[in-house]
Amino acid sequence: MKVLGIVAEYNPFHNGHMYHIEESKKLTGCDAVVCVMSGNFIQRGEPAIINKFARTEIALGNGVDLIIELPVPFAVSSAEFFAYGAVNILNSIGIVDCISFGSESGDIRSLKKLAEILVAEPEGYKDELKKQLAGGLSFPVCRQKALEKYLKLQNDSNGDLSYLLETSNNILALEYLKALIKLNSPIQPFTVKRISNSYNTPELTGGISSATAIRNSIHESEIAASRQALPLLAQQILEREISVGRGPNSLHSFENIILAFLRHATPQELENIQDVSEGLEYRIKNAAENSGSFDDLLANICTKRYPKTRIQRILISLLAGMKRVDIEKFMESGGPQYARILGFNEKGRELLSIMKKKSTIPVITKASYYKSSSDSLISRMLEIEAQATDTYVLAYKNPAFRKAGQEFTQNIIICR
């Protein structure tokens, strides 16, 4: 059986995701699809619009056979750690033959060439990157400028590939490829060219619309308008979750919680969070004491050097009780400590059976069994996940669903 791996957030699952799955199946000739999916918080430092089990249910009904959760320390991280964590899981479970990801370029050869340079980090590139970073701009901007100058000096026959770093899906594609190289993985990469619009286009553009536009429509109570961009099952489950008061969640749902956490935290506690450096803890602390809303807070913190997504990831790390030392320990130990199953269908059940024999990391189908694991890294990763979920459910409009401990009581999704 040829198995395809996909990394996704499905926030929410839309027609563009359906297109990617269908095209990936054609491109790879696979027999089954395994997806590593972000849980209740996503890479941009935001809560998922509906919870991970509802999103699992939708994906299993639309072409995915088995869903594995990307642990929150990697799900709410830079593109590099996000991609590394997900690819590491796909590589570790021992059943995945190929991976497919979307990109604006659709050119796997050029993407692989640039990924090789980024992994090798030749001296000329590293020197130029240091010069760019001294200018005070964000790392992504400095990296692109450094690569552009390095490639021009090399007079490479491939030309200037730095343009590939201008768009978000290309950037993630490069990080997936970098992870495959670093892991010396046998998984073969494929890419599907993105169609229609940018991932962050704010307005609906018909049957293929960006996830940003769809979320905006839902948050503005215009879910009917977004139906054109959603498969039927996604519409039904979204409407079900919203009708019972389990969504839509947004960062604004945590406005007062975030301000309270920040006001009670010391600068030293903030300094211990991943991505807090160069005195940023004092800027965050000052902003919390002088802001009355979440929008004010971001406006008072963000700069060109400290973009919005970086600050939001820091805030989610604070809510989840996640520290820099946690990330360092997880990375030192190889990355994600387990493959936590969120759901599967009949074909996925077969994959799960094979995976349990081949995986080099524990395969978890019942999180409560590992709650007090003798492995300190597994128990710590689950502890962070549990705190993240306990916080996530506080945004539900229906108080009946806000109880703590759901990380260890929710059953996985089985579709027959």
Side-chain angles (χ1 to χ4, degrees):
M1 188 187 309
K2 187 173 184 179
V3 180
L4 166 67
I6 287 175
V7 181
E9 293 183 319
Y10 295 149
N11 184 42
F13 192 103
H14 54 68
N15 290 338
H17 294 131
M18 278 286 290
Y19 173 81
H20 174 250
I21 292 170
E22 290 168 357
E23 290 300 304
S24 295
K25 286 180 175 179
K26 293 177 190 174
L27 189 62
T28 64
C30 71
D31 304 297
V33 179
V34 174
C35 176
V36 175
M37 187 185 79
S38 300
N40 287 329
F41 289 94
I42 63 168
Q43 199 264 333
R44 289 169 55 82
E46 298 175 350
I49 197 164
I50 55 175
N51 72 64
K52 58 192 176 187
F53 289 102
R55 288 167 25 246
T56 293
E57 193 177 349
I58 296 169
L60 290 175
N62 284 285
V64 179
D65 300 301
L66 178 69
I67 306 281
I68 302 171
E69 180 175 22
L70 179 61
V72 72
F74 294 90
V76 184
S77 191
S78 65
E80 181 179 18
F81 286 148
F82 172 91
Y84 181 84
V87 172
N88 195 315
I89 290 174
L90 291 174
N91 191 60
S92 298
I93 59 177
I95 62 170
V96 176
D97 301 290
C98 51
I99 181 173
S100 174
F101 38 79
S103 66
E104 286 85 2
S105 77
D107 181 358
I108 194 68
R109 178 184 168 277
S110 295
L111 289 166
K112 287 172 76 172
K113 174 68 177 177
L114 189 54
E116 287 165 1
I117 295 172
L118 290 170
V119 171
E121 290 190 317
E123 285 300 320
Y125 161 68
K126 284 202 293 187
D127 292 343
E128 189 57 44
L129 181 59
K130 285 179 184 176
K131 292 178 188 175
Q132 294 294 334
L133 287 169
L137 295 175
S138 68
F139 178 80
V141 172
C142 293
R143 181 172 68 167
Q144 184 179 352
K145 288 179 178 290
L147 271 168
E148 183 179 1
K149 292 199 172 185
Y150 169 75
L151 290 168
K152 281 182 180 177
L153 287 172
Q154 295 300 303
N155 196 23
D156 195 301
S157 60
N158 291 283
D160 179 13
L161 300 176
S162 64
Y163 74 93
L164 293 170
L165 290 167
E166 292 175 357
T167 49
S168 57
N169 285 276
N170 279 349
I171 290 171
L172 262 179
L174 286 164
E175 295 300 343
Y176 295 137
L177 290 166
K178 283 172 58 183
L180 289 171
I181 295 168
K182 289 177 181 178
L183 292 164
N184 194 26
S185 174
I187 296 173
Q188 295 300 304
F190 296 83
T191 189
V192 174
K193 185 176 176 63
R194 186 180 177 89
I195 59 171
S196 184
N197 53 56
S198 168
Y199 89 102
N200 58 359
T201 302
E203 296 87 19
L204 293 168
T205 53
I208 300 291
S209 293
S210 73
T212 299
I214 295 167
R215 287 193 299 273
N216 288 346
S217 176
I218 293 168
H219 284 306
E220 291 164 8
S221 300
E222 296 177 357
I223 190 169
S226 67
R227 285 177 185 153
Q228 61 184 317
L230 301 170
L232 180 59
L233 184 62
Q235 295 174 34
Q236 293 171 339
I237 292 177
L238 265 166
E239 291 174 3
R240 179 195 75 196
E241 293 298 297
I242 292 170
S243 69
V244 300
R246 285 195 297 254
N249 281 9
S250 75
L251 263 179
H252 288 85
S253 308
F254 303 97
E255 181 173 75
N256 291 334
I257 298 173
I258 289 171
L259 286 171
F261 264 69
L262 290 175
R263 289 179 182 182
H264 294 158
T266 65
Q268 291 70 36
E269 288 170 331
L270 295 176
E271 185 185 16
N272 290 329
I273 297 174
Q274 180 79 357
D275 281 341
V276 176
S277 59
E278 303 168 330
L280 178 57
E281 63 271 21
Y282 295 102
R283 185 178 183 87
I284 294 173
K285 184 69 176 172
N286 183 64
E289 292 173 354
N290 291 281
S291 302
S293 70
F294 183 74
D295 290 334
D296 287 345
L297 179 70
L298 286 183
N300 288 330
I301 300 174
C302 295
T303 65
K304 285 184 178 179
R305 191 173 186 84
Y306 304 125
K308 178 181 173 183
T309 50
R310 176 176 173 178
I311 300 305
Q312 289 181 172
R313 286 196 292 265
I314 289 169
L315 298 178
I316 297 304
S317 295
L318 177 70
L319 293 180
M322 186 165 56
K323 300 184 174 87
R324 181 186 296 108
V325 67
D326 291 316
I327 307 297
E328 291 170 352
K329 286 181 179 178
F330 295 145
M331 287 302 292
E332 287 170 6
S333 299
Q337 300 299 297
Y338 50 75
R340 199 267 180 93
I341 309 301
L342 295 180
F344 54 84
N345 59 20
E346 285 303 318
K347 189 179 289 184
R349 187 192 298 275
E350 183 180 349
L351 293 175
L352 182 58
S353 177
I354 301 169
M355 187 197 311
K356 286 179 176 178
K357 298 173 184 174
K358 292 190 171 185
S359 180
T360 58
I361 55 177
V363 176
I364 296 179
T365 54
K366 204 165 185 62
S368 59
Y369 290 171
Y370 289 81
K371 189 175 181 179
S372 301
S373 172
S374 58
D375 186 316
S376 61
L377 289 177
I378 290 178
S379 60
R380 177 59 183 151
M381 189 167 275
L382 281 171
E383 181 183 10
I384 292 170
E385 203 72 55
Q387 183 164 333
T389 296
D390 285 349
T391 303
Y392 179 85
V393 300
L394 291 175
Y396 288 159
K397 292 173 177 58
N398 187 339
F401 296 117
R402 295 179 190 160
K403 294 176 183 177
Q406 294 183 45
E407 192 64 24
F408 301 110
T409 58
Q410 171 71 49
N411 292 323
I412 63 176
I413 303 297
I414 301 175
C415 292
R416 293 181 169 83

